[in-house]
Amino acid sequence: MKKLLAIALSLSIFLGLAACGSSGSGSSDSGSSQASSATGGDSTEPETLRVGTLDTTDTFDPCSNSGCGLGLMMVYDTVLKLNYDTMEVEPCIASAWNWVDDKTLELTIRDDVTFSNGDKLTPEDVLYSLSRFVYENDQFDPGYDNINYDESTIDGNQLTLVLNDVDAEFLNALSNDRWASVVDEEYVKANPDAWWDAPIGSGPYTCVENVDGSHSTYAVREDYWGDKPDAENVIINNYSESTTMIADFQNGDLDIVLDTPETDYLAAQNGDYGDGVQTKLFKTWDLLAVCLPSYTECFQDINVRKAISLALDTKAITNAVYGSLGQTADSILIDGCDFYSSIGVHDYDPDQAKELLKEAGYENGLDLKVVIPSTTTNDKCAEIVQAYLAKVGINLSIESYDFATAIPILMANGTDISIFGTGGGTYTAASITDTLGENCSNSGARISDSTFNGYLNAARTTLDEETRLDNYTKAAQWDFDNYWTLPISYAQAVDLYQSNISGVTGLVARAIDLTSVVIN
Amino acid sequence: MGRFTLNRLLWVIPVMLGVILIVFTIDRFSPGDPVAAELGAGYTQEQYDAKKAELGLDKPFFVQLFNYVSKIITKGDLGNSYHTGLSVTASIAERFPVTLKLAIIAIVIAVGLGVPFGVISSTRQYSVADHAVTTFSLIFAAMPGFWLALMMIICFSIQLKLFPASGYKQWNCWVLPTLSAGLSFVATITRMTRSSMLDVVRQDFITTARAKGVNEGTVIRKHALRNALIPIITTIGFQFGILISGSVIVETIFNMPGMGSLMMTAINNKDYPVIEGCVLVLAFFICIINLITDLAYGIADPRIMAQYTKGKKAKMKEAVK
């Protein structure tokens, strides 16, 4: 009996281990490629591009992907495409476009594009892909709910989109590298649960495997309609710890690592990660700002707002939060975005700040609370702001919560001051100002003033570029003069890549265009 | 024996129901809003209400609990992740083997080093070997797990380039994670083996065995160690449970897609179905580990085995005698 039990136990452990082993070895080669090069075994084939990211790959549903979007960019084509060097919109699935009037856009859809399952891409697929954001997932709208789907028409390869309102940035919306992805209507309707591991797109790669929390692998499509990418295969490894990602990069197990911490950027520049390691800086398109909500009573007095502005040394805060990757903000629009113009940086004058607080009736100081979603940047910024405000007699208490806890508090006006990155990581002036204007659902950042919103609306609803520049500049100047949103920093993020890699380009560091990367 | 095992397995059912009730309640009443976590910073009340209804969180607590339990009982369905939409059962099925394998290898390392170290330490008390083993095991016990893991990456991966820092598909990917998980437990097992052995080796039956001329190795292995095994088995079972349920640090640092990293992501996202599913599966395995530990007592000690195999009446009679 004893022996039998011992044998049974041993057998169960052995079978368990064998089962665990087979679950891993039966699938992709990502783990093996990592392991082999670290141990000097079989090297990965040269045409395989290995990328490390701290983001998740997530689902391939463009409507609900909350990951880095790298996979979407490889598997799908977008309606139009952004040229990352010129920041101009270029043809893609739509080979040409024409504004019939301010609200009517004609798109010519290419007729030589097929999805990876062989289905032909049609204008119906394009219209369906945009409409999904309205009819199937109404949580987020990239601007496609402005399309009047009843009046939009298809005639051969011509897709005519009729807009409800003038939208100056509609072409930008159609070139968004994840939301403007075109899906196969027939396939999606027949396979509504295939978003994770069997997505069908018309892009240059097909997804071979997508293991949540680990990696995803891609193979180039031989029948791709456009220019074939250099890398035959791509492996995206998802990390939760940057130290491990950098260790793999140092070992040569990764060709590119995305969005690395500043310390790694400096180390790479010093040559600590080996000769020839290259770095590329990208704008994050986020504005770190201190927002003074109108519902906090003391901020109705402009002297209090101005005092807070004078109490903050934005240059020092920028340096402390972002180090060499930071840039002091001089406008609510982000340097580099369309219609940006430098407005100026508020002075740092704590003595005058104290005087203004005294004038406003707060000579004995002021108690304020800030609630922040806990991130390294937010936490660091809040602590430094707290220290600066303490110098002028403002006692700022910090409540840092995880995202799911902080957001309901912020939405319920539960913070006296808001500290967070606005801008949403997008490059258009409208998207950036959307996070501050009257339509912003975050009351902690919302500026309700009619003059400010008048400028924004005037800029948004005209196609005339001069008028738009004029109005965005006026809006930024108005905020500078009224101290509601105090811009602190623009940030940059950095990618590292090995010496044999070139062609690294993209809008943001965490989601570069892997189809343009060349392995030398 | 079979009856004992069956009895213990049946007890798992109320334990599981208790676990569900506790985890479900804690989840629902802890701070944080899964709807807000899904919608992000900008949402309208209509979007919030629609999402809440979609996730089934608009229903009363007891209705949610009943729906959850009935789905598990009738379909074995742990629900779908709020965040990814994936089946929780499928996600756990994909990730649990990684955690289980990590825990098994780590415990084998811990036992493989800890028990011999403990035996050496106890049979050569106060010798250089005893001090060396004690020092060695205490060093690893004193090292925080994450620090040991990072040091191993720096030393064996970056500097010596012997093993990869991440991955899970080839055998060499498992060396550093299992060592960093296992070495922390060597000290506990060593200390437990040492103290348990010291109790036993001083007893009369050991002296008798030696007086009868039994080989010293046999005395230690068959007489001393076997009699000292019960507390060691208890410790091993306990440590194995910790390894199964607390592998998050090792999995995070070595980038292994196991249960720990799944749970961490779920907790951050307030992804209730995933949290509850993971806790449920882990609790089940802890129950199984406890059962295996109890059965192992029987292998180590024939008296316990006799208790398992005899009927209740016989046990009662024995107790009366």
Side-chain angles (χ1 to χ4, degrees), chain B residues 2-20:
Chain B
R3 196 171 166 177
F4 170 79
T5 310
L6 184 68
N7 191 27
R8 287 293 300 271
L9 283 174
L10 286 174
W11 268 105
V12 171
I13 296 168
V15 170
M16 287 293 105
L17 288 173
V19 168
I20 290 175

Side-chain angles (χ1 to χ4, degrees), chain A residues 192-511:
Chain A
D193 298 323
W195 288 113
W196 269 85
D197 44 15
I200 295 296
S202 63
Y205 287 95
T206 53
C207 175
V208 178
E209 185 187 32
N210 181 19
V211 181
D212 182 32
S214 175
H215 66 275
S216 51
T217 56
Y218 307 83
V220 76
R221 280 181 63 195
E222 295 300 330
D223 59 343
Y224 181 57
W225 62 272
D227 294 336
K228 198 179 141 193
D230 189 57
E232 290 284 334
N233 303 295
V234 177
I235 302 171
I236 297 174
N237 287 306
N238 309 106
Y239 292 82
S240 33
E241 171 60 45
S242 67
T243 312
T244 318
M245 182 171 78
I246 293 298
D248 278 343
F249 181 71
Q250 282 183 269
N251 284 335
D253 295 335
L254 293 174
D255 299 308
I256 304 175
V257 285
L258 305 178
D259 206 357
T260 58
E262 189 211 2
T263 46
D264 295 311
Y265 168 59
L266 298 175
Q269 286 207 314
N270 287 338
D272 297 349
Y273 293 160
D275 296 333
V277 168
Q278 303 171 80
T279 59
K280 187 169 174 80
L281 290 166
F282 294 84
K283 290 181 186 301
T284 60
W285 305 106
D286 276 332
L287 167 70
L288 182 63
V290 173
C291 303
L292 309 179
S294 54
Y295 60 72
T296 304
E297 201 183 325
C298 62
F299 295 145
Q300 293 300 328
D301 186 339
I302 191 170
N303 282 336
V304 178
R305 303 199 302 270
K306 190 175 178 184
I308 289 180
S309 165
L310 290 164
L312 300 177
D313 184 348
T314 48
K315 284 179 187 166
I317 296 172
T318 300
N319 190 43
V321 174
Y322 292 115
S324 58
L325 297 178
Q327 179 190 341
T328 307
D330 55 6
S331 168
I332 53 169
L333 291 173
I334 295 166
D335 183 8
C337 83
D338 48 359
F339 309 112
Y340 158 84
S341 56
S342 175
I343 302 297
V345 178
H346 289 298
D347 295 332
Y348 170 57
D349 190 343
D351 293 333
Q352 198 192 340
K354 281 181 196 167
E355 284 299 317
L356 285 171
L357 284 173
K358 199 174 173 183
E359 274 178 39
Y362 296 103
E363 62 272 18
N364 296 325
L366 185 58
D367 289 327
L368 295 171
K369 178 178 80 173
V370 62
V371 175
I372 47 170
S374 182
T375 65
T376 312
T377 303
N378 286 349
D379 291 343
K380 214 188 273 185
C381 184
E383 283 171 18
I384 300 164
V385 168
Q386 182 188 46
Y388 275 105
L389 292 183
K391 288 181 187 174
V392 297
I394 297 174
N395 175 35
L396 182 69
S397 62
I398 301 170
E399 292 181 15
S400 178
Y401 299 109
D402 63 90
F403 190 74
T405 308
I407 294 303
I409 299 173
L410 294 174
M411 297 290 281
N413 302 351
T415 184
D416 297 331
I417 284 185
S418 284
I419 296 176
F420 61 91
T422 63
T426 52
Y427 68 98
T428 62
S431 304
I432 295 163
T433 50
D434 273 353
T435 57
L436 300 172
E438 62 190 347
N439 295 326
C440 167
S441 54
N442 183 352
S443 54
R446 186 190 305 139
I447 300 174
S448 305
D449 184 89
S450 57
T451 309
F452 178 75
N453 286 292
Y455 292 137
L456 295 187
N457 289 332
R460 181 89 196 223
T461 53
T462 176
L463 298 180
D464 181 59
E465 302 233 329
E466 272 186 32
T467 310
R468 297 180 70 196
L469 175 63
D470 182 47
N471 280 290
Y472 279 126
T473 307
K474 282 178 179 167
Q477 185 64 52
W478 183 92
D479 179 72
F480 184 83
D481 296 337
N482 288 278
Y483 309 98
W484 285 110
T485 296
L486 310 175
I488 303 290
S489 320
Y490 310 130
Q492 295 180 100
V494 64
D495 291 348
L496 311 183
Y497 48 104
Q498 307 284 6
S499 55
N500 63 329
I501 298 295
S502 59
V504 175
T505 183
L507 186 64
V508 289
R510 64 195 284 255

Side-chain angles (χ1 to χ4, degrees), chain A residues 136 138-139, chain B residues 48-58 82:
Chain A
E136 292 183 28
D138 60 357
Q139 281 170 230
Chain B
Y48 182 89
D49 293 341
K51 191 71 186 174
K52 197 170 183 179
E54 183 193 324
L55 300 179
L57 294 169
D58 57 335
Y82 291 163

Side-chain angles (χ1 to χ4, degrees), chain A residues 27 38 212 244 248 251 441, chain B residues 42 51 95 157 161 166 169 253:
Chain A
S27 44
D212 182 32
T244 318
D248 278 343
N251 284 335
S441 54
Chain B
K51 191 71 186 174
R95 291 190 179 230
S157 184
K161 299 200 184 298
S166 69
K169 300 223 163 172
I253 291 177

